[in-house]
Amino acid sequence: MIKTTPKSHLFRLAGVLVLFAVAFLLVKSWATPDSWNFEQWYRGDALIDIAAQPLTYGGNESCKDCHQAAIKKLRKFDHKALSCESCHGPVVDHVKGQKKIAKAIVDKSRWQCENCHDERINRPKGFPQFSQAGEIGKSIKKHKDLEAETPCLKCHDAHDPTP
Amino acid sequence: MKMDNSKIKLQAASPPLDLKAMAEPNPNSDSRREFLRNVLSGATAATVLMVFGPGATAFSKGAKKSSKAQHQFAYVININNCIGCGNCVRACKRENNVPAAQFRTWVERYVTTKKGVYVESPDGALKGFEKANAEVRAAAKRSFTVPKMCNHCDDPPCVQVCPVGATFKTEEGFVLVDHGHCLGCAYCVQACPYGARFINKDIHKSDKCTWCYHRVKAGKLPACVTVCPNKARLFGDLNDPDSEVAQVFEEDQWMVLKPEMHTDPTCYYVGLPREVV
C-alpha cells in the first residue's frame, strides 16, 4: 500500500504532466518531417516535389536542334520575338525524349492573327493593328475586296508577315 | 519632483491615520525612482540601438535582400508593352494544369472614362479581349491591359496566416505552396491582398503562381515569360547585373501593386497607371 501524504496529489499531478510532455514530444518528433526547415518554417522536401513537375513548354531554344534553318530565317522577320509554341503548341505534344511523337499543330485560324493585330482600344501606341473601321483593315487597299472570313495566311506568311 | 524622506515623515505625521506605517520612510520611494531611471535609460539605449546599432536593419527591406542565397529572383511586368493577347494565360494554364475558370495569372483590361474606371477580365483573358463597342469607344479616355499574378511578396501575408507551414518563401524569392502539407483551409486565399490564390478545384489545395519553379530550376524562364510576344513580362536574377530585371531595377522607374499593404512585392510593374488596383 502506498503511503499518502498531504503532498502526494502534487506528485501525481507532476507525473501526469511529465507523461503528457513525453507523449507530446514523441508525437511531435514523429509528425515533423525530417527535412523541416526551422528557420523558414517549411518542409524542405517540398522544393524537390515542386521542382519535379514536368515541363510543358520548352521555349524557342528547344526547337533549335531540329529546325535550325527555320529559326535562323525567323531572326530577320518581324515575328522574331514570338514564341514558336504560341502557334505550334507546346513541345511536349510534339517531341518526347529525342523522338517526334506527333505532328506539331499549325494553327492557321484568323483568330491567331487577330488576337494580337485586330484593333483593340487597349493596345499600346504604335503597335501594328488593323484600322479602327472594324472590318479587315479597310485602310489598306488590297484588303478592300476581301470577304470577312478570308484567312490572313492566304496572302501573308505567319513567320514573315510583312505585307 | 524631488522629495526627501524627512518631508514625507512630516506630512504623514499630521493626519491621525496609521501612524506606525506612515512614520517609516517609504520603502518604495527609492526603488521607484530607480525603476523610472532604469526604464528611461533602457528606452534611450534601445532607441539609439534601433537607429544606429545592429537593430537598424532589422525592420528594413535591406535586411531581407541581403540573404545569402545565390539568386534573388524578380519579375517585371511592363504595362507599356502588354498587348492583351492572353498568350501568357494560355501557357500558364497548360504548363501548370490549372483547372477551368481558375487562374494563376490573368490579364485585366482597364478603360478610363469621365464617369469612372471600368475593369474587365473575360475568362482571365484566356481568349484575349473583345472589340470594344461604339459606346465604350466614345467614352474611353484611355485603355490598357494589366497582367496580374502572385506578387511573390518579401513579407507575404499568406505565409503569415498559414497554420501548418504549408506555404513559405524560399531564400531565392519564390513564394510556394507545399501541396503535401496544405490542408486547404483557405486562410491564405483570404489573406492575399492581390487575389492571387485560390483553392484548386481538382486537388482541393491552395494553389498559386510559382514563377514556374520547376522551369526555373531546369534553367528555363516561366511559361508566361517564354510565350510573351512583346516583352511585357520579364523574369530574372537581381544578383546578375546583366539580367533584364536588374536593368529595370537600375532605371528605378518601377512601381508595385498596393504598396500601402507593406507586403513588399518582388513583382515590379513598369508604366503602371495610377488607376490600377
Side-chain angles (χ1 to χ4, degrees):
Chain A
M1 190 73 191
I2 303 162
K3 206 178 147 194
T4 50
T5 65
K7 282 183 181 167
S8 57
H9 69 287
L10 291 176
F11 289 119
R12 272 204 301 277
L13 192 64
V16 169
L17 285 177
V18 166
L19 262 178
F20 266 117
V22 168
F24 172 78
L25 289 174
L26 273 177
V27 171
K28 183 174 173 268
S29 71
W30 168 75
T32 308
D34 292 336
S35 62
W36 194 260
N37 182 329
F38 284 93
E39 263 176 44
Q40 299 288 321
W41 210 252
Y42 68 92
R43 188 173 62 96
D45 286 348
L47 291 178
I48 300 168
D49 292 356
I50 298 168
Q53 189 186 330
L55 272 68
T56 306
Y57 286 83
N60 287 7
E61 64 268 23
S62 63
C63 310
K64 254 182 207 163
D65 290 346
C66 305
H67 304 284
Q68 201 159 16
I71 289 200
K72 227 177 194 175
K73 233 166 84 186
L74 191 69
R75 266 183 220 148
K76 295 176 213 148
F77 302 150
D78 285 348
H79 271 173
K80 57 178 177 270
L82 261 63
S83 159
C84 308
E85 290 162 305
S86 297
C87 303
H88 293 290
V91 72
V92 284
D93 292 349
H94 178 48
V95 180
K96 198 172 187 182
Q98 293 294 317
K99 276 186 179 167
K100 181 175 162 183
I101 50 164
K103 237 184 145 187
I105 312 160
V106 189
D107 189 346
K108 289 184 175 172
S109 65
R110 265 178 69 107
W111 179 83
Q112 195 66 251
C113 307
E114 286 177 344
N115 190 34
C116 294
H117 291 295
D118 198 10
E119 190 278 334
R120 297 283 186 278
I121 48 170
N122 52 275
R123 304 260 197 249
K125 260 183 204 149
F127 187 77
Q129 47 184 318
F130 302 137
S131 81
Q132 263 208 14
E135 301 113 283
I136 13 168
K138 290 213 167 149
S139 52
I140 301 165
K141 256 188 187 173
K142 278 184 188 171
H143 284 159
K144 268 185 181 165
D145 303 328
L146 293 179
E147 285 167 34
E149 289 310 313
T150 314
C152 309
L153 297 186
K154 197 178 170 189
C155 307
H156 296 276
D157 180 356
H159 296 131
D160 177 19
T162 25
Chain B
M1 280 302 283
K2 245 188 175 182
M3 286 195 294
D4 61 31
N5 297 338
S6 56
K7 246 183 188 170
I8 291 175
K9 247 185 236 170
L10 281 173
Q11 281 173 348
S14 45
L17 291 169
D18 190 353
L19 289 176
K20 208 177 169 191
M22 293 301 227
E24 300 273 328
N26 187 347
N28 296 330
S29 168
D30 259 358
S31 62
R32 187 196 292 146
R33 197 168 298 148
E34 205 177 313
F35 170 73
L36 285 173
R37 198 179 294 136
N38 284 345
V39 166
L40 195 68
S41 58
T44 314
T47 311
V48 169
L49 276 177
M50 295 271 268
V51 177
F52 303 107
T57 52
F59 298 108
S60 73
K61 208 179 168 184
K64 275 177 193 160
K65 283 269 179 250
S66 68
S67 82
K68 279 167 244 147
Q70 197 191 340
H71 303 292
Q72 194 66 57
F73 289 112
Y75 200 103
V76 169
I77 294 177
N78 191 335
I79 305 284
N80 302 325
N81 286 357
C82 181
I83 59 171
C85 63
N87 271 349
C88 45
V89 184
R90 290 189 289 279
C92 175
K93 269 228 147 139
R94 180 67 212 275
E95 177 77 39
N96 298 300
N97 294 318
V98 182
Q102 295 191 312
F103 301 93
R104 286 187 179 193
T105 183
W106 66 98
V107 184
E108 294 171 355
R109 174 159 78 179
Y110 281 68
V111 179
T112 64
T113 69
K114 272 184 185 169
K115 285 179 186 166
V117 183
Y118 296 89
V119 191
E120 61 171 341
S121 185
D123 206 9
L126 194 63
K127 294 270 174 199
F129 291 93
E130 295 279 310
K131 240 183 206 322
N133 62 33
E135 197 186 337
V136 175
R137 204 176 287 281
K141 283 198 289 187
R142 206 151 62 97
S143 180
F144 45 87
T145 42
V146 183
K148 293 267 185 89
M149 53 189 266
C150 168
N151 282 251
H152 294 263
C153 310
D154 249 358
D155 199 358
C158 52
V159 172
Q160 289 169 33
V161 298
C162 182
V164 293
T167 185
F168 53 94
K169 179 145 183 112
T170 72
E171 286 203 321
E172 293 178 325
F174 298 87
V175 175
L176 299 172
V177 184
D178 176 0
H179 282 160
H181 230 65
C182 176
L183 304 167
C185 72
Y187 280 8
C188 55
V189 178
Q190 293 181 50
C192 177
Y194 305 102
R197 283 173 169 263
F198 55 91
I199 297 295
N200 188 309
K201 275 188 231 165
D202 295 340
I203 56 174
H204 302 289
K205 310 258 177 187
S206 178
D207 206 351
K208 66 179 269 300
C209 160
T210 61
W211 273 352
C212 282
Y213 185 80
H214 59 296
R215 294 179 62 84
V216 176
K217 286 289 131 179
K220 304 257 182 195
L221 289 167
C224 49
V225 179
T226 306
V227 299
C228 182
N230 211 21
K231 283 194 174 293
R233 289 168 175 264
L234 303 173
F235 179 79
D237 185 0
L238 283 180
N239 287 352
D240 171 12
D242 296 331
S243 72
E244 282 165 318
V245 287
Q247 280 161 18
V248 168
F249 218 71
E250 189 83 350
E251 281 171 28
D252 211 13
Q253 289 292 317
W254 49 267
M255 259 294 286
V256 293
L257 291 177
K258 300 192 183 175
E260 72 277 12
M261 301 302 285
H262 299 291
T263 51
D264 288 345
T266 54
C267 196
Y268 305 104
Y269 281 81
V270 175
L272 188 74
R274 69 185 161 78
E275 291 89 352
V276 178
V277 285

